[in-house]
Amino acid sequence: LALPTFENHPILHQNSEFCCWTMSFATFSRVSSRQRQQMPLLLLLLSCFPAITNGCTNILVTPGASAKSEPMLAYAADSANLMGYLYHYPSIESSSSEKTRKVYGWDSGEYLGSIPEYNGRTYNVVGNANEAGLVIGETTFGGIEKLTTPREDAIIDYGSLIYITLQRSATAREAIQTMIDLTDQYGYASEGESFSIVDSNEVWWMEVIGRGRDNPRQGFVYVAARVPDGYVASHANQARITTFPRDDPENYLYSDDVVSLAKSLGLYESVSGDEEFDLQFSFSDVYDPVTFGGARFCEGRVFSVYHSIVSDPKDFHDKYADYVRGKDFTSRMPLFVKPSKLLTLDDITNAMSSHYEQTPLDWSNDVGAGMYHVPYRPRPLVWKYEEEYYCNERPIGTQQTGWNFIAVVRPTMPPPLQAVLWFGVDDTSTSPRYPVYASSTEVSSAYGGGGTQDGNP
Protein backbone atom coordinates (compact mmCIF):
# COMPACT_ATOMS: atom_id res chain seq x y z
CA LEU A 1 0.00 0.00 0.00
CA ALA A 2 1.43 3.35 -1.05
CA LEU A 3 0.07 6.51 0.52
CA PRO A 4 0.30 9.88 -1.27
CA THR A 5 3.39 11.91 -0.44
CA PHE A 6 2.77 15.23 1.33
CA GLU A 7 5.63 17.69 1.30
CA ASN A 8 6.58 18.42 4.92
CA HIS A 9 3.42 16.56 5.93
CA PRO A 10 1.38 19.56 7.15
CA ILE A 11 -1.66 17.37 7.74
CA LEU A 12 0.21 14.80 9.82
CA HIS A 13 1.06 15.69 13.38
CA GLN A 14 1.84 13.98 16.67
CA ASN A 15 -0.57 14.02 19.57
CA SER A 16 1.64 14.32 22.65
CA GLU A 17 -1.02 12.90 24.95
CA PHE A 18 -1.56 9.70 23.03
CA CYS A 19 1.94 9.39 21.47
CA CYS A 20 0.32 8.48 18.15
CA TRP A 21 0.48 10.07 14.75
CA THR A 22 -2.75 11.75 13.79
CA MET A 23 -4.35 13.42 10.82
CA SER A 24 -6.84 16.11 11.67
CA PHE A 25 -9.61 17.53 9.52
CA ALA A 26 -8.94 20.82 11.32
CA THR A 27 -5.68 21.16 9.43
CA PHE A 28 -7.36 20.79 6.04
CA SER A 29 -7.42 24.53 5.46
CA ARG A 30 -3.64 24.72 5.81
CA VAL A 31 -2.76 22.35 2.97
CA SER A 32 -2.22 23.29 -0.65
CA SER A 33 -4.85 22.87 -3.35
CA ARG A 34 -2.92 19.89 -4.72
CA GLN A 35 -2.89 18.25 -1.30
CA ARG A 36 -6.60 18.95 -0.84
CA GLN A 37 -7.18 17.06 -4.08
CA GLN A 38 -5.20 14.13 -2.68
CA MET A 39 -7.02 14.14 0.67
CA PRO A 40 -9.93 11.87 -0.39
CA LEU A 41 -7.47 9.32 -1.76
CA LEU A 42 -5.46 9.36 1.46
CA LEU A 43 -8.59 8.84 3.54
CA LEU A 44 -9.67 5.99 1.30
CA LEU A 45 -6.30 4.30 1.55
CA LEU A 46 -6.15 4.72 5.30
CA SER A 47 -9.59 3.18 5.61
CA CYS A 48 -8.22 0.07 3.93
CA PHE A 49 -5.55 -0.51 6.59
CA PRO A 50 -7.68 -2.80 8.81
CA ALA A 51 -7.69 -5.41 6.04
CA ILE A 52 -3.96 -5.26 5.47
CA THR A 53 -2.06 -7.92 7.38
CA ASN A 54 0.65 -9.12 5.03
CA GLY A 55 4.20 -7.99 5.54
CA CYS A 56 7.66 -9.50 5.89
CA THR A 57 11.05 -8.64 7.32
CA ASN A 58 14.47 -9.87 6.14
CA ILE A 59 17.90 -9.50 7.74
CA LEU A 60 20.96 -10.43 5.65
CA VAL A 61 24.31 -11.08 7.33
CA THR A 62 27.49 -11.55 5.28
CA PRO A 63 30.26 -14.00 6.30
CA GLY A 64 32.52 -11.12 7.34
CA ALA A 65 29.85 -9.78 9.71
CA SER A 66 29.29 -13.17 11.33
CA ALA A 67 31.11 -14.40 14.44
CA LYS A 68 31.54 -17.81 12.81
CA SER A 69 32.09 -16.52 9.26
CA GLU A 70 28.73 -18.05 8.38
CA PRO A 71 26.26 -15.99 6.36
CA MET A 72 22.76 -15.78 7.80
CA LEU A 73 19.32 -14.87 6.51
CA ALA A 74 16.40 -14.14 8.82
CA TYR A 75 12.88 -14.10 7.40
CA ALA A 76 9.46 -13.51 8.94
CA ALA A 77 6.47 -14.36 6.72
CA ASP A 78 3.75 -12.20 8.22
CA SER A 79 0.13 -12.94 7.42
CA ALA A 80 -2.77 -13.68 9.74
CA ASN A 81 -4.02 -16.23 7.20
CA LEU A 82 -0.71 -18.03 6.59
CA MET A 83 -0.32 -21.48 8.12
CA GLY A 84 2.98 -22.53 9.68
CA TYR A 85 3.94 -25.17 7.15
CA LEU A 86 7.53 -26.18 6.45
CA TYR A 87 7.46 -26.88 2.73
CA HIS A 88 9.38 -29.81 1.27
CA TYR A 89 10.21 -30.47 -2.39
CA PRO A 90 12.17 -33.73 -2.79
CA SER A 91 14.84 -33.98 -5.43
CA ILE A 92 13.50 -35.46 -8.67
CA GLU A 93 15.12 -36.65 -11.87
CA SER A 94 13.43 -35.92 -15.17
CA SER A 95 14.65 -36.68 -18.68
CA SER A 96 11.43 -35.83 -20.49
CA SER A 97 10.93 -32.38 -21.98
CA GLU A 98 7.20 -33.10 -22.22
CA LYS A 99 6.63 -33.32 -18.47
CA THR A 100 5.11 -30.18 -16.97
CA ARG A 101 4.46 -28.74 -13.53
CA LYS A 102 1.44 -26.72 -12.49
CA VAL A 103 2.07 -23.29 -10.99
CA TYR A 104 -0.23 -21.79 -8.35
CA GLY A 105 -0.17 -18.35 -6.78
CA TRP A 106 1.40 -18.28 -3.31
CA ASP A 107 -1.07 -15.71 -1.99
CA SER A 108 -4.25 -16.95 -3.65
CA GLY A 109 -3.74 -20.62 -4.50
CA GLU A 110 -5.08 -19.75 -7.95
CA TYR A 111 -3.87 -21.86 -10.86
CA LEU A 112 -1.64 -19.65 -13.02
CA GLY A 113 -0.53 -22.09 -15.71
CA SER A 114 1.97 -24.85 -16.43
CA ILE A 115 5.65 -24.80 -17.38
CA PRO A 116 7.99 -27.59 -18.54
CA GLU A 117 9.58 -29.52 -15.70
CA TYR A 118 13.32 -29.18 -15.27
CA ASN A 119 15.25 -31.53 -17.54
CA GLY A 120 17.68 -33.14 -15.11
CA ARG A 121 18.00 -33.53 -11.35
CA THR A 122 16.48 -30.88 -9.07
CA TYR A 123 17.80 -29.99 -5.63
CA ASN A 124 16.05 -31.10 -2.46
CA VAL A 125 14.31 -28.10 -0.89
CA VAL A 126 13.18 -27.72 2.72
CA GLY A 127 11.49 -24.45 3.55
CA ASN A 128 13.40 -21.68 1.80
CA ALA A 129 16.74 -23.50 1.51
CA ASN A 130 18.15 -26.27 -0.66
CA GLU A 131 20.72 -29.03 -0.27
CA ALA A 132 23.35 -26.96 -2.13
CA GLY A 133 23.37 -24.36 0.65
CA LEU A 134 21.24 -21.73 -1.14
CA VAL A 135 18.62 -19.73 0.79
CA ILE A 136 16.05 -17.26 -0.58
CA GLY A 137 13.71 -14.89 1.27
CA GLU A 138 11.57 -11.92 0.26
CA THR A 139 9.50 -8.93 1.25
CA THR A 140 6.80 -7.40 -0.97
CA PHE A 141 6.90 -3.67 -1.64
CA GLY A 142 4.19 -3.48 -4.30
CA GLY A 143 5.38 -0.42 -6.18
CA ILE A 144 3.68 2.11 -8.41
CA GLU A 145 0.20 1.30 -9.64
CA LYS A 146 1.16 1.32 -13.32
CA LEU A 147 3.27 -1.80 -12.85
CA THR A 148 1.44 -3.76 -10.16
CA THR A 149 -0.98 -5.48 -12.57
CA PRO A 150 0.78 -8.31 -14.45
CA ARG A 151 0.13 -9.48 -17.98
CA GLU A 152 -2.78 -11.87 -18.30
CA ASP A 153 -0.51 -14.65 -19.58
CA ALA A 154 2.05 -14.32 -16.74
CA ILE A 155 2.59 -17.60 -14.88
CA ILE A 156 5.42 -17.19 -12.36
CA ASP A 157 4.43 -15.40 -9.16
CA TYR A 158 6.92 -14.47 -6.45
CA GLY A 159 6.31 -17.59 -4.35
CA SER A 160 6.67 -20.09 -7.18
CA LEU A 161 9.70 -18.11 -8.33
CA ILE A 162 11.42 -18.77 -4.99
CA TYR A 163 10.73 -22.49 -4.81
CA ILE A 164 11.33 -23.30 -8.48
CA THR A 165 14.59 -21.36 -8.32
CA LEU A 166 15.69 -23.26 -5.21
CA GLN A 167 15.06 -26.50 -7.04
CA ARG A 168 17.18 -25.43 -10.01
CA SER A 169 20.05 -23.32 -8.62
CA ALA A 170 23.12 -23.95 -6.45
CA THR A 171 24.54 -20.44 -5.89
CA ALA A 172 23.21 -16.92 -5.43
CA ARG A 173 24.40 -15.80 -8.86
CA GLU A 174 22.83 -18.86 -10.47
CA ALA A 175 19.60 -18.08 -8.64
CA ILE A 176 19.51 -14.52 -9.94
CA GLN A 177 19.92 -15.73 -13.51
CA THR A 178 17.34 -18.49 -13.04
CA MET A 179 14.80 -15.96 -11.74
CA ILE A 180 15.43 -13.73 -14.74
CA ASP A 181 15.16 -16.62 -17.20
CA LEU A 182 11.95 -18.00 -15.68
CA THR A 183 10.12 -14.69 -15.70
CA ASP A 184 11.43 -13.62 -19.11
CA GLN A 185 10.05 -16.82 -20.58
CA TYR A 186 6.86 -17.40 -18.60
CA GLY A 187 6.03 -13.94 -17.27
CA TYR A 188 6.05 -12.37 -13.83
CA ALA A 189 2.66 -12.53 -12.08
CA SER A 190 3.30 -10.44 -8.93
CA GLU A 191 3.93 -6.93 -7.68
CA GLY A 192 7.25 -5.41 -6.69
CA GLU A 193 9.49 -7.65 -4.58
CA SER A 194 12.76 -7.52 -2.70
CA PHE A 195 14.52 -10.90 -2.72
CA SER A 196 17.31 -11.97 -0.34
CA ILE A 197 19.58 -14.57 -1.95
CA VAL A 198 22.31 -16.19 0.14
CA ASP A 199 24.85 -18.95 -0.47
CA SER A 200 27.94 -20.03 1.44
CA ASN A 201 30.09 -17.22 -0.02
CA GLU A 202 27.89 -14.34 -1.14
CA VAL A 203 24.83 -12.42 0.00
CA TRP A 204 22.70 -10.68 -2.65
CA TRP A 205 19.69 -8.41 -2.53
CA MET A 206 17.54 -8.15 -5.66
CA GLU A 207 14.64 -5.73 -6.20
CA VAL A 208 12.23 -6.32 -9.06
CA ILE A 209 9.00 -4.98 -10.50
CA GLY A 210 7.00 -6.21 -13.50
CA ARG A 211 7.17 -4.45 -16.85
CA GLY A 212 3.43 -3.79 -16.92
CA ARG A 213 0.25 -5.36 -18.18
CA ASP A 214 0.52 -4.00 -21.74
CA ASN A 215 4.26 -4.39 -22.24
CA PRO A 216 5.07 -6.88 -25.04
CA ARG A 217 8.17 -7.95 -23.11
CA GLN A 218 7.62 -10.47 -20.33
CA GLY A 219 9.35 -10.50 -16.95
CA PHE A 220 10.58 -7.75 -14.68
CA VAL A 221 13.09 -4.94 -14.45
CA TYR A 222 15.54 -5.34 -11.62
CA VAL A 223 18.60 -4.22 -9.75
CA ALA A 224 20.65 -6.72 -7.71
CA ALA A 225 23.28 -5.62 -5.20
CA ARG A 226 25.86 -7.82 -3.49
CA VAL A 227 26.04 -6.95 0.19
CA PRO A 228 29.69 -6.04 0.91
CA ASP A 229 31.42 -8.59 3.09
CA GLY A 230 31.49 -7.44 6.69
CA TYR A 231 28.15 -5.64 6.37
CA VAL A 232 24.52 -6.31 7.21
CA ALA A 233 21.42 -5.43 5.19
CA SER A 234 17.69 -5.44 5.87
CA HIS A 235 14.46 -4.74 4.02
CA ALA A 236 10.81 -4.78 5.05
CA ASN A 237 8.18 -4.11 2.35
CA GLN A 238 9.75 -0.92 1.00
CA ALA A 239 12.10 -0.84 -2.00
CA ARG A 240 15.45 0.46 -0.75
CA ILE A 241 17.99 0.24 -3.60
CA THR A 242 18.43 3.74 -4.98
CA THR A 243 21.28 4.63 -7.39
CA PHE A 244 23.72 1.96 -8.59
CA PRO A 245 26.90 1.75 -10.72
CA ARG A 246 26.73 0.44 -14.28
CA ASP A 247 30.30 -0.86 -14.51
CA ASP A 248 30.61 -3.18 -11.51
CA PRO A 249 29.13 -6.60 -12.42
CA GLU A 250 30.89 -8.22 -9.49
CA ASN A 251 28.69 -6.25 -7.12
CA TYR A 252 25.72 -4.90 -9.11
CA LEU A 253 23.52 -6.45 -11.77
CA TYR A 254 20.57 -4.80 -13.51
CA SER A 255 18.19 -5.26 -16.43
CA ASP A 256 19.03 -3.46 -19.67
CA ASP A 257 15.71 -1.57 -19.61
CA VAL A 258 15.52 -0.62 -15.93
CA VAL A 259 15.90 3.08 -16.83
CA SER A 260 14.33 3.10 -20.29
CA LEU A 261 11.10 1.51 -19.01
CA ALA A 262 10.72 4.32 -16.49
CA LYS A 263 11.32 6.89 -19.22
CA SER A 264 8.78 5.30 -21.54
CA LEU A 265 6.13 5.44 -18.81
CA GLY A 266 6.89 9.06 -17.91
CA LEU A 267 8.28 8.09 -14.52
CA TYR A 268 11.75 9.48 -15.15
CA GLU A 269 12.73 12.48 -17.21
CA SER A 270 14.40 11.62 -20.50
CA VAL A 271 17.57 13.53 -21.34
CA SER A 272 18.97 12.45 -24.67
CA GLY A 273 22.63 11.48 -24.53
CA ASP A 274 23.04 12.53 -20.91
CA GLU A 275 24.65 9.44 -19.39
CA GLU A 276 25.51 11.30 -16.19
CA PHE A 277 21.83 12.07 -15.67
CA ASP A 278 20.91 8.41 -16.05
CA LEU A 279 23.41 7.52 -13.35
CA GLN A 280 21.24 9.51 -10.94
CA PHE A 281 18.35 7.12 -11.58
CA SER A 282 17.07 5.64 -8.31
CA PHE A 283 15.17 2.34 -8.48
CA SER A 284 13.32 2.95 -5.21
CA ASP A 285 12.45 6.60 -5.83
CA VAL A 286 11.03 5.83 -9.28
CA TYR A 287 9.35 2.44 -8.84
CA ASP A 288 8.38 2.60 -5.13
CA PRO A 289 8.61 6.15 -3.75
CA VAL A 290 8.72 6.35 0.03
CA THR A 291 5.47 7.50 1.65
CA PHE A 292 4.47 8.02 5.26
CA GLY A 293 3.35 4.39 5.45
CA GLY A 294 6.54 3.17 3.76
CA ALA A 295 8.73 5.06 6.20
CA ARG A 296 6.74 4.48 9.39
CA PHE A 297 5.46 0.93 8.95
CA CYS A 298 8.24 -0.56 6.78
CA GLU A 299 11.50 1.33 7.05
CA GLY A 300 10.90 1.59 10.79
CA ARG A 301 11.60 -2.13 11.07
CA VAL A 302 14.89 -1.74 9.19
CA PHE A 303 15.76 1.13 11.54
CA SER A 304 15.21 -1.13 14.56
CA VAL A 305 17.68 -3.67 13.12
CA TYR A 306 20.37 -1.17 12.18
CA HIS A 307 19.97 0.85 15.37
CA SER A 308 20.62 -2.30 17.43
CA ILE A 309 23.91 -3.22 15.74
CA VAL A 310 25.71 -0.03 14.67
CA SER A 311 28.64 1.30 16.67
CA ASP A 312 26.96 4.65 17.45
CA PRO A 313 23.19 4.15 17.99
CA LYS A 314 22.73 7.76 19.14
CA ASP A 315 24.24 9.18 15.96
CA PHE A 316 22.15 6.78 13.87
CA HIS A 317 19.05 7.87 15.79
CA ASP A 318 19.80 11.56 15.29
CA LYS A 319 20.27 11.11 11.54
CA TYR A 320 17.29 8.91 10.73
CA ALA A 321 14.66 9.17 13.47
CA ASP A 322 12.66 11.81 11.59
CA TYR A 323 12.79 9.68 8.46
CA VAL A 324 11.21 6.62 10.08
CA ARG A 325 8.70 8.83 11.86
CA GLY A 326 7.51 9.88 8.40
CA LYS A 327 8.54 13.51 8.87
CA ASP A 328 11.55 13.84 6.54
CA PHE A 329 11.99 11.67 3.45
CA THR A 330 15.27 13.29 2.39
CA SER A 331 17.41 11.43 4.93
CA ARG A 332 17.24 7.91 3.56
CA MET A 333 18.98 5.23 5.60
CA PRO A 334 22.08 3.51 4.17
CA LEU A 335 21.55 0.34 2.18
CA PHE A 336 24.05 -1.61 4.33
CA VAL A 337 25.59 -1.03 7.76
CA LYS A 338 28.72 -2.36 9.43
CA PRO A 339 27.92 -3.89 12.82
CA SER A 340 29.85 -2.83 15.91
CA LYS A 341 30.80 -6.47 16.54
CA LEU A 342 30.63 -9.81 14.76
CA LEU A 343 27.10 -11.12 15.01
CA THR A 344 25.91 -14.44 16.39
CA LEU A 345 22.72 -16.41 15.91
CA ASP A 346 21.54 -15.00 19.25
CA ASP A 347 22.07 -11.45 17.99
CA ILE A 348 19.87 -12.05 14.95
CA THR A 349 17.30 -13.79 17.13
CA ASN A 350 17.16 -10.67 19.30
CA ALA A 351 16.86 -8.39 16.26
CA MET A 352 13.93 -10.47 14.99
CA SER A 353 12.26 -10.04 18.38
CA SER A 354 12.14 -6.26 18.20
CA HIS A 355 9.13 -4.22 19.31
CA TYR A 356 11.10 -0.99 18.78
CA GLU A 357 12.62 -1.09 22.24
CA GLN A 358 15.02 1.82 22.76
CA THR A 359 14.10 3.43 19.43
CA PRO A 360 11.97 6.49 18.61
CA LEU A 361 9.05 4.19 17.79
CA ASP A 362 9.09 2.40 21.16
CA TRP A 363 5.41 2.13 22.07
CA SER A 364 5.70 0.36 25.42
CA ASN A 365 4.87 3.59 27.25
CA ASP A 366 2.03 5.04 25.21
CA VAL A 367 -1.62 4.95 26.21
CA GLY A 368 -2.28 1.66 24.43
CA ALA A 369 0.43 -0.20 26.36
CA GLY A 370 -1.50 -0.26 29.59
CA MET A 371 -0.09 -0.84 33.04
CA TYR A 372 2.03 -3.78 31.86
CA HIS A 373 3.66 -1.85 28.98
CA VAL A 374 2.49 -4.41 26.43
CA PRO A 375 4.12 -4.06 22.97
CA TYR A 376 1.09 -5.48 21.15
CA ARG A 377 -2.09 -3.89 19.85
CA PRO A 378 -5.24 -5.37 18.39
CA ARG A 379 -6.06 -4.42 14.83
CA PRO A 380 -6.43 -2.13 12.98
CA LEU A 381 -3.10 -0.51 12.18
CA VAL A 382 -4.83 2.82 11.56
CA TRP A 383 -8.13 3.95 13.07
CA LYS A 384 -10.29 7.03 13.37
CA TYR A 385 -11.50 8.70 16.56
CA GLU A 386 -13.31 12.03 16.77
CA GLU A 387 -12.34 13.13 13.27
CA GLU A 388 -8.67 12.24 13.70
CA TYR A 389 -6.69 9.30 12.38
CA TYR A 390 -4.28 7.44 14.65
CA CYS A 391 -1.81 4.66 13.93
CA ASN A 392 -0.24 1.84 15.88
CA GLU A 393 3.32 0.83 15.12
CA ARG A 394 4.30 -2.13 12.96
CA PRO A 395 7.26 -3.89 14.65
CA ILE A 396 9.17 -6.99 13.53
CA GLY A 397 7.76 -9.07 16.38
CA THR A 398 4.05 -9.41 15.63
CA GLN A 399 1.26 -11.86 16.41
CA GLN A 400 0.43 -11.99 12.71
CA THR A 401 3.49 -13.98 11.64
CA GLY A 402 2.66 -17.29 9.97
CA TRP A 403 6.15 -18.78 10.11
CA ASN A 404 9.72 -17.56 10.41
CA PHE A 405 13.28 -18.80 10.23
CA ILE A 406 16.88 -17.85 10.68
CA ALA A 407 19.02 -19.69 8.12
CA VAL A 408 22.70 -20.28 8.79
CA VAL A 409 24.92 -21.36 5.88
CA ARG A 410 28.09 -23.11 7.05
CA PRO A 411 30.75 -22.99 4.30
CA THR A 412 33.10 -25.43 6.04
CA MET A 413 30.55 -28.25 5.92
CA PRO A 414 29.73 -30.50 2.93
CA PRO A 415 27.01 -28.90 0.75
CA PRO A 416 24.16 -31.14 2.02
CA LEU A 417 24.92 -30.00 5.58
CA GLN A 418 25.62 -26.34 4.90
CA ALA A 419 22.15 -24.78 5.15
CA VAL A 420 20.42 -25.09 8.51
CA LEU A 421 17.02 -23.53 9.03
CA TRP A 422 16.09 -22.56 12.57
CA PHE A 423 12.37 -22.74 11.86
CA GLY A 424 9.46 -21.53 13.95
CA VAL A 425 5.80 -20.63 13.60
CA ASP A 426 3.96 -17.53 14.77
CA ASP A 427 5.48 -14.48 16.46
CA THR A 428 9.25 -14.15 15.95
CA SER A 429 9.68 -12.75 19.46
CA THR A 430 8.07 -15.70 21.24
CA SER A 431 8.18 -18.77 19.00
CA PRO A 432 10.71 -21.53 19.71
CA ARG A 433 12.73 -22.56 16.66
CA TYR A 434 14.09 -25.97 15.83
CA PRO A 435 16.95 -26.77 13.43
CA VAL A 436 16.39 -28.67 10.21
CA TYR A 437 18.83 -29.40 7.41
CA ALA A 438 17.89 -28.31 3.90
CA SER A 439 18.94 -31.78 2.72
CA SER A 440 16.39 -33.54 4.95
CA THR A 441 14.41 -36.09 2.97
CA GLU A 442 11.40 -35.81 5.27
CA VAL A 443 9.77 -33.09 7.35
CA SER A 444 8.20 -33.63 10.75
CA SER A 445 4.46 -34.21 10.55
CA ALA A 446 4.09 -31.47 13.17
CA TYR A 447 5.18 -28.89 10.58
CA GLY A 448 4.78 -30.63 7.24
CA GLY A 449 2.15 -29.68 4.71
CA GLY A 450 1.61 -28.02 1.37
CA GLY A 451 1.02 -24.35 0.87
CA THR A 452 -1.21 -22.45 -1.50
CA GLN A 453 1.61 -22.49 -4.04
CA ASP A 454 1.07 -26.28 -4.20
CA GLY A 455 -2.56 -25.88 -5.22
CA ASN A 456 -4.02 -26.11 -1.73
CA PRO A 457 -6.93 -23.73 -1.05
Side-chain angles (χ1 to χ4, degrees), residues 13 27 46 48-49 55 96 106 131 146 160 204 222 239 252 269 308 311 328 333 348 364 396 403 443:
H13 63 277
T27 61
L46 285 173
C48 295
F49 264 118
S96 172
W106 196 14
E131 62 178 303
K146 286 184 179 180
S160 57
W204 283 81
Y222 67 90
Y252 286 89
E269 181 182 358
S308 70
S311 58
D328 178 9
M333 288 185 295
I348 304 305
S364 62
I396 295 176
W403 48 262
V443 170

Side-chain angles (χ1 to χ4, degrees), residues 14 62 124 131 157 202 233 237 256 371 382 438:
Q14 188 178 30
T62 58
N124 185 79
E131 62 178 303
D157 79 309
E202 294 186 323
N237 307 118
D256 57 12
M371 63 184 295
V382 174

Side-chain angles (χ1 to χ4, degrees), residues 275-305:
E275 296 181 0
E276 187 65 29
F277 183 81
D278 281 356
L279 289 176
Q280 300 172 24
F281 174 85
S282 164
F283 185 95
S284 169
D285 291 324
V286 170
Y287 290 123
D288 186 37
V290 178
T291 62
F292 175 81
R296 188 65 176 255
F297 304 135
C298 304
E299 289 279 75
R301 284 173 276 156
V302 175
F303 180 94
S304 73
V305 175

Side-chain angles (χ1 to χ4, degrees), residues 181-248:
D181 293 343
L182 284 168
T183 53
D184 278 353
Q185 186 167 2
Y186 304 112
Y188 180 60
S190 292
E191 300 177 332
E193 286 284 335
S194 298
F195 292 103
S196 304
I197 310 170
V198 178
D199 64 26
S200 60
N201 297 306
E202 294 186 323
V203 174
W204 283 81
W205 173 356
M206 183 181 189
E207 295 194 332
V208 313
I209 193 167
R211 291 188 167 99
R213 185 181 185 87
D214 300 322
N215 197 312
R217 185 174 175 183
Q218 289 271 31
F220 50 57
V221 292
Y222 67 90
V223 176
R226 187 175 72 86
V227 182
D229 197 30
Y231 284 74
V232 174
S234 180
H235 53 85
N237 307 118
Q238 168 66 52
R240 302 198 61 239
I241 298 177
T242 54
T243 57
F244 53 95
R246 310 299 198 272
D247 57 354
D248 187 10

